[in-house]
Amino acid sequence: MKDFLWLFIVIATVMVFPICFFIRENPFDTTSFLSLEENKMVAWQRARMQINPGRTNHLETFKNMQKKLELFKNINAQILIGAPPLKKKLLTIGIASVQHSSGSYLLDTLQSLFIASSSSEQKHFTVLVHLADPDPKWLDHMISNISTLFKPYIQARQLVVINTPRKNYLLLKDLEKNFHDTPAYVAFHFKQNMDYAFLINFATNLSDYFLMIEDDVTCAPGFVTQIATAVSAWRNKPWLTLNFSQLDFTGKLFRTRDLPCLVHFLFLFYQKMHCDYLLTHFHDLLMEPAPIQFFPSLFQRMGNYSFFDSKFNSLKDKEIEENDPGFPSNPAASIYTSLKVANDSVLMNAYSLDKSFFYTKSAEAGNHLTVVLDVPAKVFQVQVLTGSYLKGKNRLEKGQVELGYDATNRVNDCDDYILLGLLENGTLNKQVLSDESGKKVKCVRLLVTATPPSGIIVRHINLWIK
């Protein structure tokens, strides 16, 4: 029996060892029977395993990868117009632009940015434009127009225009085509990845947050305040990107501390795919939460014209709300205030849908008028009107509107409030930005931020609900 056992061990060893040796020397190629698309997927999965083994330190891995990019040693973006801000701002708004055979919307986009933001909002952001076309005639033309049309913003260091020398660009070779894309189309978008990378790289130290938009969009009024409000609400939550539009790279907000990784990623894979698809893989490879989408969109594309192929298409953001919202809903609610109610005035008139109004003879900073809904609702627009109908007297010039979402054990108030917007000329009419969770509003508070010289009239607090 013992002899048989030893014989079995010897035979097994003789048979198994060559097999193990063969496998070690000739590893099985799992991609040999895969299609081209399946091979690409395997390549991405291997990249993920290399960049993200066991959810280790992803930033350290990117630092090691970037050492191989000699390009970063000699990046010298030239400032063509303006100068960077002296102090770090809240937000940098980045735009990369090239010339198009069908014309340019860049000047219209810049105009929309400044018109849609108040003077107080403009103090908190810098607009950074990367003119990324090498044609010197086009560059001179754009520099002249921007310098003339936006001189006040340039002098206030609110607008900076840069250009990256052609020598700093990586070569476009061995381009990967997708579907039926032409070589020219592929080269355009892969160069665009580098245009964006140079732009983002320059913006890294200008502000706390970076917002990317394209050069052919219009902006919703008060978009800066709405973005600041969203950032405040998500301050202590994990996120890599907040999306304020569904148009390609437009409306994507990043923390500037994450920008170096994004720049390196764009340069590493600039010849792989379109930038918005690269951004999806950027999230995937870093094992970060999916982008947080806010509604309604704050940016809309101008016209239906495709710059590259000179064709008409429907590139509108389907979520943006351009139409009149109709009549307000004003669901059942109670109203509370710290204002001194005049003897002949009725507090509930401020929330009624007729032409009655609420009047107080005096007000002080810190006074409030709060609408508390009987049932929390998804509010998508708020309107506050103050002052008389005819002459606009008794307006609340210094005030703000806030939304409350939680009311734990409270009947006439909410636990916390988030700023919706500031009154301008005694008026606020603003859409409510919400993420996918669609939190329901419980309270709408009108807050006096500075003591007015006389009494105030509150004509309407109107709500639209879904």
Side-chain angles (χ1 to χ4, degrees):
M1 183 66 181
K2 185 180 294 185
D3 293 338
F4 175 78
L5 182 59
W6 275 108
L7 180 61
F8 177 79
I9 293 174
V10 171
I11 294 173
T13 302
V14 171
M15 294 179 63
V16 172
F17 180 77
I19 295 174
C20 294
F21 179 80
F22 176 81
I23 293 176
R24 182 172 62 85
E25 296 298 322
N26 301 278
F28 182 55
D29 183 5
T30 58
T31 64
S32 60
F33 54 88
L34 298 180
S35 67
L36 177 61
E37 291 302 316
E38 289 171 329
N39 269 310
K40 289 182 179 180
M41 183 60 67
V42 170
W44 276 105
Q45 293 296 332
R46 285 176 175 171
R48 179 193 296 182
M49 292 170 65
Q50 293 169 3
I51 294 175
N52 209 340
R55 296 175 181 250
T56 55
N57 191 327
H58 319 309
L59 295 181
E60 189 62 33
T61 304
F62 267 111
K63 289 179 181 178
N64 293 332
M65 294 173 70
Q66 78 184 52
K67 292 177 182 178
K68 301 177 182 179
L69 291 175
E70 297 295 325
L71 175 69
F72 285 94
K73 294 181 179 179
N74 298 303
I75 289 183
N76 294 305
Q78 303 170 343
I79 296 179
L80 303 178
I81 303 175
L86 297 175
K87 295 183 179 179
K88 203 171 188 179
K89 298 291 188 73
L90 171 71
L91 180 67
T92 298
I93 302 171
I95 307 172
S97 184
V98 297
Q99 65 175 323
H100 306 281
S101 59
S102 55
S104 172
Y105 285 124
L106 175 60
L107 299 178
D108 298 311
T109 297
L110 290 175
Q111 187 175 36
S112 177
L113 276 172
F114 291 113
I115 289 177
S117 54
S118 65
S119 57
S120 59
E121 288 175 322
Q122 290 167 11
K123 295 177 182 178
H124 298 287
F125 69 81
T126 299
V127 178
L128 178 64
V129 178
H130 182 203
L131 296 180
D133 197 290
D135 183 355
K137 291 184 179 180
W138 180 81
L139 285 174
D140 290 343
H141 177 69
M142 295 306 300
I143 290 171
S144 176
N145 284 338
I146 294 173
S147 299
T148 302
L149 295 174
F150 302 98
K151 185 176 180 179
Y153 305 107
I154 296 168
Q155 292 176 337
R157 293 177 178 259
Q158 294 171 347
L159 174 60
V160 180
V161 179
I162 64 172
N163 170 260
T164 305
R166 188 70 177 177
K167 64 181 181 180
N168 285 331
Y169 278 78
L170 297 169
L171 295 177
L172 293 171
K173 60 182 181 179
D174 301 325
L175 304 181
E176 294 187 14
K177 291 178 58 178
N178 294 311
F179 304 106
H180 302 292
D181 294 340
T182 65
Y185 180 89
V186 172
F188 174 84
H189 284 289
F190 289 173
K191 177 187 173 294
Q192 186 180 60
N193 289 337
M194 288 189 282
D195 295 341
Y196 288 162
F198 285 122
L199 169 70
I200 296 169
N201 184 68
F202 191 92
T204 300
N205 297 315
L206 299 182
S207 59
D208 295 321
Y209 299 93
F210 175 80
L211 176 72
M212 187 76 195
I213 67 172
E214 293 174 82
D215 63 353
D216 60 343
V217 300
T218 57
C219 310
F223 73 96
V224 176
T225 297
Q226 298 208 52
I227 289 174
T229 301
V231 167
S232 178
W234 280 80
R235 188 182 306 277
N236 298 319
K237 299 178 182 179
W239 60 271
L240 184 65
T241 309
L242 300 183
N243 289 0
F244 297 94
S245 171
Q246 296 188 76
L247 294 171
D248 297 333
F249 226 46
T250 287
K252 305 298 184 286
L253 185 80
F254 304 88
R255 295 182 177 95
T256 50
R257 71 188 187 202
D258 295 325
L259 295 185
C261 284
L262 178 58
V263 171
H264 304 151
F265 185 82
L266 289 174
F267 274 121
L268 284 167
F269 300 107
Y270 74 100
Q271 293 193 108
K272 291 296 180 183
M273 58 187 66
H274 194 282
C275 56
D276 49 326
Y277 294 118
L278 280 178
L279 184 58
T280 300
H281 285 292
F282 184 61
H283 276 267
D284 188 34
L285 293 174
L286 290 182
M287 293 292 187
E288 292 289 347
I292 310 302
Q293 183 71 51
F294 287 86
F295 304 101
S297 297
L298 298 181
F299 306 96
Q300 178 63 296
R301 183 148 286 159
M302 296 181 181
N304 294 320
Y305 202 79
S306 172
F307 279 137
F308 183 80
D309 51 15
S310 300
K311 295 178 181 179
F312 285 93
N313 52 35
S314 55
L315 294 173
K316 295 285 187 178
D317 190 325
K318 62 183 180 180
E319 292 296 339
I320 199 164
E321 302 200 19
E322 296 180 315
N323 300 324
D324 189 328
F327 292 103
S329 310
N330 285 19
S334 301
I335 300 184
Y336 303 90
T337 187
S338 59
L339 295 164
K340 295 180 180 178
V341 182
N343 293 334
D344 56 347
S345 185
V346 177
L347 180 60
M348 200 64 190
N349 286 348
Y351 190 61
S352 66
L353 294 174
D354 55 29
K355 290 189 177 181
S356 58
F357 57 85
F358 166 70
Y359 173 69
T360 178
K361 293 182 178 180
S362 62
E364 297 178 352
N367 286 156
H368 71 91
L369 191 155
T370 303
V371 176
V372 181
L373 302 183
D374 291 354
V375 179
K378 291 184 178 180
V379 178
F380 71 86
Q381 187 158 330
V382 176
Q383 180 186 64
V384 174
L385 304 174
T386 70
S388 62
Y389 282 99
L390 298 178
K391 298 182 179 181
K393 293 183 177 181
N394 299 108
R395 293 188 305 197
L396 177 58
E397 298 290 351
K398 300 290 184 179
Q400 64 189 43
V401 178
E402 303 168 335
L403 302 180
Y405 293 90
D406 299 307
T408 306
N409 299 321
R410 296 192 181 203
V411 177
N412 60 353
D413 201 2
C414 285
D415 296 335
D416 297 297
Y417 287 87
I418 295 176
L419 176 67
L420 176 62
L422 306 179
L423 268 64
E424 293 187 15
N425 298 320
T427 298
L428 177 138
N429 190 5
K430 184 161 290 188
Q431 292 180 332
V432 178
L433 208 60
S434 63
D435 57 36
E436 292 96 330
S437 63
K439 292 178 65 177
K440 294 182 178 181
V441 172
K442 176 66 176 178
C443 306
V444 179
R445 181 168 69 181
L446 173 62
L447 184 67
V448 180
T449 55
T451 301
S454 60
I456 58 174
I457 291 175
V458 181
R459 300 203 321 261
H460 291 294
I461 298 179
N462 292 329
L463 309 180
W464 283 260
I465 65 172
K466 294 182 180 179

